[in-house]
Amino acid sequence: MLEIKNLHASIEDENRAILNGINLTVNPGEVHAIMGPNGSGKSTLSYILSGREGYDVTDGEVLYKGQDLLEMSPDERAAKGVFLAFQYPIEIPGVATMQFLKVALNSQRKARGEGELSTPDFMRLVKEKSAALNISQEMLKRPVNVGFSGGEKKRAEILQMAVLEPSLCILDETDSGLDIDALKLVAEGVNKLRSPDRAMIVITHYQRLLDYIVPDQVHVLSKGRIVKSGGKELALELERNGYAEYVGDAA
Amino acid sequence: MSLTLAPTAAETAYQGFALPHRRQEDWRWTDLRQLLDQAYPPTNGTKASAAEIDRLIATDALAPFARARLVFVDGAFDKARSKLPATGAITLEHLTHGAPPSSARGAYDDPLANLNDRFCRESLRLTVKAGTAEDAPIALVFVSTGHEAVTTCTRAQIIVEKGASATLLETHIGGAGAYVASSLIEASIGDDARLDRVKIAEDGQAAIHLASFHVKLGTQSSLNDFTLTQGAKATRQQTFATFTGQHSNIKVAGAYLLNGKQHADTKITVDHAVPHCTSRELFKCVMDDQARGIFQGKVVVRKDAQKTDGKQSSNALLLSETAEFDAKPELEIFADDVVCGHGATSGSLNDDYLFYLRARGIPEDEAKSLLIAAFASEAFDEVAHEAVREALGELTQGWLINRKPA
């Protein structure tokens, strides 16, 4: 599904290296957790995978389903099944949530050569998916994320994911700002989407989320490099010992 | 010492009427001596063919929503093309003996009203009778054929009597030729009365649109006003609103959709002459190419107008490096227990919004269109008539479709 090979990247105009040779292979059906301290490059990785501007890839490559991902525009990536659940979902005044969802879904379908979904079919789909995430009709009537609480924003991201049914889900600190009930709800929504042909990258600081979304592999990111990989028990070890061991060579 | 300037061709055609120019503070961005680059002799009546007129009238986006429709063609009331209000709540008078200023006119020095006074030959007076609620909108359609480089002067007086309510739709449309359209609307809103007004300024691409709206409000009355400006080469439009009774409120909103070298200048003065009134101004201005938008909002709070609540904001969205926006908010406050504020912003499309939409699979052009439409639509969110509000959304979409590179 995803092959990241020796990925080096820096922030545009700053010449500051953020990623220093990441290697990661994610197969269909797998859930990979990426953990690491602040500033280790976790969010940068998620932005580079989803196509945000402002980064220079200085070396390496990223193959998605065998194609060069970095060559594609953000909307092309989305249409091909890449989805980023944002750490800080953006509020967009004036754009109605339902209109946004419908335009997004139909743009993706169009790009894939599928027919557009009719309004009744679309409404049915959203109703079904939103009920499971405890998202009210009232929330759906508001502009995209406007006036949503932190937890509502995260649930709205998972709703988008459920409606768009991507192949590769990247969850960037989806647990941040969630209380335990919201966390369970979000994790349940994510788990529902686990399937043999879908892969997930779960970026998080804390092990807590991984109690609910159990990963196949855990990677520790430090200074833009994966310094250790292991099974889910690695997350528990990190919870006990912290990241000190992996950032030890700091000056 | 005032300096007398040699009359321009346009001023000569106006029999020496002195046009406002940039050395006058209110006109610093819109110099009519320069804009009116040739003689536009005032005329009344058309030389265009019936087919041409009908073709232009057919472009009126608000046509489907009006019960009564009053059509002017090149300054003259066209009864045959109009649909008169059924007798009852509304009386209509057609005044052909010149058109004196109405009582809605404040003591403002308004050169556009003066110009209209001087050359307007006929006008309409609409009276919505006391206590009647007129749900179906009344439309005023001002067609300028642009057949000749002339000035057409139109005016209408709207009287909403005590306890009455009405919705006025006003469309300005025109042909491709150069012309000047001078428009004056004077409205009196009685006690406990309400007027909703939606104006679409869609004059032809070579036109100069000069419009003044004077309105007076009684006690516990309200005005909800919206203007979409997307036509004409140059537009200067003015609103002069005066509260004469307490506990009344005004909303004046507007959206600009400008491209090419279009120029639009809106000047709004709200006069809180009495206490306990609320005014809101919101302008959402979209400028592409080398277009230039200007918003001048002034709130005056008189000495006795305590508990005044007045806010104005203008937001500009610049879609190109060469587009421009100028805002001049003014507050003149002589009372001490008031809440007044203003805000003006100007910027380009938000990259974070754009990335968020694209990350969900929405192609760049479409994502931009969505954001532009969302930006502009905030100005007409409060248009009460749902179908009219939707029509405004469609006009915005139409503008966006034309904008997209082929």
Side-chain angles (χ1 to χ4, degrees):
Chain A
M1 173 87 61
L2 184 73
E3 286 174 85
I4 303 176
K5 297 176 186 169
N6 190 34
L7 184 65
H8 286 73
S10 58
I11 292 181
E12 212 171 69
D13 306 326
E14 277 187 36
N15 208 17
R16 187 158 59 90
I18 303 287
L19 302 183
N20 296 303
I22 289 193
N23 289 290
L24 178 67
T25 300
V26 180
N27 296 309
E30 293 179 352
V31 173
H32 289 239
I34 295 184
M35 303 182 72
N38 284 326
S40 58
K42 302 189 302 294
S43 286
T44 298
L45 178 63
S46 74
Y47 284 141
I48 287 176
L49 293 178
S50 53
R52 192 189 191 108
E53 284 175 16
Y55 302 97
D56 282 329
V57 173
T58 49
D59 201 4
E61 63 174 346
V62 179
L63 296 179
Y64 169 71
K65 293 180 177 172
Q67 289 177 300
D68 184 352
L69 185 70
L70 302 179
E71 278 299 300
M72 301 176 203
S73 66
D75 41 294
E76 271 179 271
R77 298 178 199 205
K80 287 188 193 311
V82 177
F83 181 95
L84 168 66
F86 284 70
Q87 183 182 359
Y88 303 109
I90 312 262
E91 297 191 13
I92 309 184
V95 177
T97 300
M98 288 300 272
Q99 185 199 8
F100 159 68
L101 275 174
K102 190 168 181 222
V103 173
L105 179 62
N106 281 333
S107 297
Q108 292 199 14
R109 292 177 67 98
K110 216 165 111 187
R112 293 193 294 259
E114 299 162 17
E116 294 194 358
L117 213 59
S118 73
T119 300
D121 286 345
F122 170 76
M123 300 295 280
R124 246 193 309 279
L125 176 72
V126 175
K127 211 170 173 179
E128 179 203 317
K129 306 285 187 191
S130 55
L133 285 158
N134 203 7
I135 289 174
S136 65
Q137 293 303 300
E138 193 273 324
M139 259 174 83
L140 294 173
K141 279 185 189 142
R142 282 187 258 167
V144 177
N145 292 323
V146 174
F148 288 14
S149 69
E152 285 173 333
K153 282 180 185 168
K154 296 300 173 80
R155 273 186 279 149
E157 291 290 290
I158 304 306
L159 171 65
Q160 292 173 31
M161 194 164 97
V163 168
L164 298 171
E165 300 187 309
S167 313
L168 175 66
C169 308
I170 305 160
L171 298 132
D172 188 4
E173 301 203 15
T174 295
D175 50 338
S176 67
L178 293 186
D179 61 32
I180 195 71
D181 292 329
L183 183 72
K184 280 184 191 168
L185 203 64
V186 162
E188 230 170 80
V190 173
N191 285 330
K192 241 182 240 172
L193 287 163
R194 288 183 81 151
S195 91
D197 45 12
R198 180 172 290 134
M200 294 188 184
I201 297 175
V202 180
I203 294 172
T204 180
H205 265 298
Y206 303 107
Q207 187 267 336
R208 192 178 66 161
L209 177 67
L210 305 180
D211 283 342
Y212 300 98
I213 304 172
V214 180
D216 298 297
Q217 284 191 52
V218 175
H219 310 278
V220 181
L221 194 66
S222 176
K223 298 195 178 78
R225 214 191 296 247
I226 289 175
V227 292
K228 182 156 189 184
S229 297
K232 62 186 176 206
E233 62 288 347
L234 178 56
L236 292 165
E237 186 199 314
L238 286 167
E239 185 78 0
R240 276 196 306 273
N241 303 333
Y243 293 112
E245 180 185 337
Y246 305 102
V247 293
D249 59 343
Chain B
M1 191 188 85
S2 75
L3 192 71
T4 308
L5 299 162
T8 63
E11 284 171 326
T12 305
Y14 290 155
Q15 301 166 8
F17 181 89
L19 289 167
H21 54 82
R22 69 177 61 167
R23 271 177 258 174
Q24 290 155 270
E25 179 56 26
D26 279 356
W27 296 85
R28 58 190 284 198
W29 285 293
T30 303
D31 186 328
L32 291 191
R33 274 173 61 89
Q34 217 166 58
L35 267 175
L36 273 62
D37 52 353
Q38 57 174 310
Y40 292 96
T43 59
N44 198 53
T46 191
K47 287 181 183 161
S49 71
E52 200 179 330
I53 295 164
D54 290 336
R55 185 185 59 77
L56 286 170
I57 290 179
T59 64
D60 175 15
L62 298 182
F65 314 116
R67 179 179 294 172
R69 198 164 177 235
L70 307 167
V71 178
F72 288 76
V73 179
D74 286 335
F77 178 51
D78 188 336
K79 198 172 173 183
R81 286 187 171 85
S82 298
K83 189 177 164 199
L84 302 186
T87 49
I90 299 167
T91 52
L92 174 70
E93 297 158 86
H94 182 207
L95 311 171
T96 52
H97 47 77
S102 85
S103 64
R105 185 92 62 89
Y108 302 103
D109 173 30
D110 176 3
L112 296 188
N114 296 342
L115 179 73
N116 193 286
D117 281 345
R118 184 117 164 219
F119 298 108
C120 188
R121 290 288 159 266
E122 53 179 305
S123 69
L124 290 183
R125 180 153 64 205
L126 273 162
T127 306
V128 185
K129 281 189 193 148
T132 57
E134 201 34 54
D135 292 331
I138 308 153
L140 294 172
V141 183
F142 298 102
V143 181
S144 301
T145 60
H147 202 73
E148 292 173 293
V150 295
T151 297
T152 57
C153 296
T154 55
R155 83 165 52 183
Q157 214 178 308
I158 318 295
I159 299 158
V160 188
E161 292 183 346
K162 186 178 165 59
S165 62
T167 300
L168 184 72
L169 305 178
E170 193 184 321
T171 319
H172 298 257
I173 42 188
Y179 63 87
V180 175
S182 157
S183 159
L184 178 65
I185 307 285
E186 296 167 305
S188 300
I189 305 174
D191 296 346
D192 306 305
R194 178 185 63 82
L195 175 66
D196 284 10
R197 171 176 176 254
V198 173
K199 171 183 167 183
I200 296 181
E202 231 188 337
D203 273 291
Q205 63 202 28
I208 296 167
H209 177 82
L210 305 175
S212 271
F213 175 46
H214 287 254
V215 57
K216 254 186 189 170
L217 291 92
T219 302
Q220 287 186 15
S221 60
S222 72
L223 167 72
N224 185 4
D225 183 74
F226 170 78
T227 298
L228 174 66
T229 305
Q230 67 169 33
K233 173 178 83 174
T235 296
R236 163 77 176 206
Q237 50 200 354
Q238 316 182 122
T239 295
F240 299 92
T242 309
F243 289 109
T244 63
Q246 302 189 14
H247 302 287
S248 293
N249 70 79
I250 287 178
K251 278 180 209 148
V252 184
Y256 291 178
L257 297 173
L258 304 176
N259 57 23
K261 290 185 173 174
Q262 280 182 291
H263 172 109
D265 179 352
T266 299
K267 158 96 188 162
I268 294 172
T269 303
V270 177
D271 186 351
H272 285 264
V274 295
H276 294 288
C277 290
T278 302
S279 64
R280 291 284 176 276
E281 295 165 37
L282 174 65
F283 269 67
K284 306 288 287 188
C285 306
V286 181
M287 273 78 56
D288 201 355
D289 306 325
Q290 295 149 68
R292 184 171 197 192
I294 296 132
F295 177 77
Q296 310 185 64
K298 182 175 183 175
V299 175
V300 181
V301 183
R302 308 258 167 200
K303 193 162 77 40
D304 299 325
Q306 303 296 358
K307 305 292 177 189
T308 287
D309 179 353
K311 284 191 187 67
Q312 49 168 309
S313 59
S314 61
N315 309 123
L317 179 56
L318 302 172
L319 299 177
S320 85
E321 298 275 317
T322 46
E324 189 178 327
F325 182 68
D326 299 286
K328 186 179 145 198
E330 279 180 281
L331 295 172
E332 271 183 20
I333 303 175
F334 300 101
D336 52 20
D337 184 13
V338 303
V339 180
C340 283
H342 61 75
T345 64
S346 177
S348 52
L349 278 175
N350 183 311
D351 285 336
D352 290 335
Y353 294 180
L354 205 54
F355 176 65
Y356 192 82
L357 297 179
R358 295 184 72 196
R360 295 297 176 254
I362 303 173
E364 188 171 9
D365 280 348
E366 206 169 330
K368 283 183 178 170
S369 291
L370 252 169
L371 293 176
I372 297 165
F375 175 87
S377 72
E378 276 186 73
F380 51 82
D381 270 351
E382 299 209 28
V383 168
H385 194 288
E386 194 180 340
V388 170
R389 200 168 60 238
E390 279 168 17
L392 293 168
E394 279 163 31
L395 282 169
T396 309
Q397 290 304 329
W399 186 84
L400 289 166
I401 287 164
N402 287 331
R403 174 181 181 265
K404 279 185 195 165

